[in-house]
């Protein structure tokens, strides 16, 4: 699937299927399910568990894929075209952060965000504030095309991420319906740090052992090569049609100072649905994906705790 067509197709579809009376922002659920099937999945209401609390979660739409370099470049191009140069400068990716990893990341500094070969890879090296600004821009774009002022794009709550990842089970360790990192056919289910004998090498300069993370292959839809991150539409989607909820990049949520789901730099145990990691500044391991909801004036989205 070409990301260059995703948002255009979705916008056109929503305009056709939904909101025939733009002055009355009413949730046309069935219409939106059809309209967003290209790039967003409907996650039905359900429950999640955090810290032994069972929490109810309203239905919402989640991007099937992490925001890609191409998607984010569209945002930058739009800011530049509109002459919003101050906002453009604040939105720029901090590619120098690739050098914060233990291996030398010069080639990623130069090419990862800018080269067309990486356009369908997840955008990284952004702050939480930059991701929120992207969501605000996306909200403005969709409201313009749908003529519906109730649409809101934002970072997911952790409960929403878990609802999407857990599927029909409250206790599923990963987004797929079995407790292992390989399928019965031997396919790896996610992009993560595989620490085993075959991944350990001795540094020729320091003489110390290290993990050769950039030498890994991954087995996905087409068994492509992943040098750190993998493309946003890799491996198998979960039952809701969402890709890479475990591994690849940890994902920002509304809760501050954490990212969830693990990433290419995380060992297998740390890419579980419940996994969190500290996130306070831009880095090459963290990306994001938006969810779509509605303003409370048209669709309430208040969660509530049930008894334990």
């Amino acid at each position: 699937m070409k990301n260059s067509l995703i948002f255009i197709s979705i916008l056109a579809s929503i305009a056709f299927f939904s909101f025939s009376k733009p002055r009355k922002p009413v949730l046309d659920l069935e219409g939106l399910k059809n309209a967003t099937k290209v790039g967003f999945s409907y996650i039905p209401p359900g429950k999640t568990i955090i810290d032994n609390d069972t929490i109810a979660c309203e239905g919402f739409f989640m991007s099937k894929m992490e925001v890609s370099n191409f998607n984010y470049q569209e945002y930058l191009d739009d800011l530049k075209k509109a002459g919003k140069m101050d906002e453009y400068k604040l939105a720029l990716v901090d590619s120098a952060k690739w050098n914060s990893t233990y291996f030398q990341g010069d080639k990623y500094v130069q090419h990862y965000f800018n080269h067309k070969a990486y356009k369908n890879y997840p955008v990284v090296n952004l702050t939480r504030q930059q991701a929120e600004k992207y969501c605000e821009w996306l909200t403005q774009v969709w409201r313009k095309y749908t003529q519906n002022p109730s649409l809101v794009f934002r970072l997911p709550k952790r409960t929403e991420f878990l609802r999407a990842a857990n599927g029909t089970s409250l206790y599923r360790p990963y987004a797929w319906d079995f407790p292992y990192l390989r399928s019965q056919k031997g396919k790896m289910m996610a992009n993560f740090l595989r620490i085993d004998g075959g991944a350990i090498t001795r540094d020729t300069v320091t003489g110390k052992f290290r993990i050769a993370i950039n030498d890994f292959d991954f087995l996905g839809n087409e068994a492509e090569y992943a040098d750190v991150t993998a493309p946003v539409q890799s491996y198998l989607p979960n039952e809701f049609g969402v890709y890479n909820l475990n591994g690849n990049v940890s994902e920002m949520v509304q809760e501050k100072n954490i990212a969830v789901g693990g990433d290419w730099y995380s060992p297998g145990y740390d890419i579980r649905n419940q996994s969190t990691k500290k996130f306070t500044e831009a880095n090459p391991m963290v990306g994001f994906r938006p969810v779509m909801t509605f303003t409370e004036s048209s669709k309430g989205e208040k969660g509530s705790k049930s008894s334990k």
Side-chain angles (χ1 to χ4, degrees), residues 6 36 41 53 63 67 100 102 121 146 166 181 195 214 249 269:
I6 288 176
T36 58
S41 289
D53 287 330
S63 177
V67 173
S100 66
Y102 77 91
Y121 284 65
T146 63
N166 287 343
L181 291 167
I195 303 177
N214 56 324
V249 290
Y269 186 79

Side-chain angles (χ1 to χ4, degrees), residues 175-290:
W176 45 91
D177 195 18
F178 51 89
Y180 308 108
L181 291 167
R182 288 185 183 272
S183 70
Q184 291 182 343
K185 296 182 179 180
K187 285 192 174 184
M188 195 64 71
M189 297 298 294
N191 180 24
F192 63 97
L193 179 62
R194 283 161 249 175
I195 303 177
D196 57 31
I200 299 173
T201 185
R202 188 187 297 275
D203 191 292
T204 57
V205 176
T206 66
K208 296 181 179 180
F209 292 109
R210 67 177 179 85
I211 306 300
I213 186 170
N214 56 324
D215 296 332
F216 292 140
D217 292 331
F218 76 91
L219 296 174
N221 294 336
E222 299 178 359
E224 301 175 55
Y225 177 74
D227 51 355
V228 279
T229 61
V232 295
Q233 193 173 11
S234 299
Y235 305 97
L236 298 174
N238 77 343
E239 64 195 89
F240 294 136
V242 183
Y243 292 84
N244 291 318
L245 287 165
N246 306 102
N248 209 31
V249 290
S250 294
E251 300 187 15
M252 303 179 206
V253 288
Q254 285 196 6
E255 289 81 355
K256 294 181 179 180
N257 301 326
I258 63 168
V260 299
D263 49 72
W264 58 269
Y265 199 54
S266 302
Y269 186 79
D270 294 337
I271 67 167
R272 292 168 298 119
N273 297 342
Q274 291 279 351
S275 295
T276 64
K277 68 183 297 180
K278 185 177 180 180
F279 172 64
T280 57
E281 61 181 62
N283 70 70
M285 283 76 77
V286 178
F288 71 104
R289 78 175 79 217

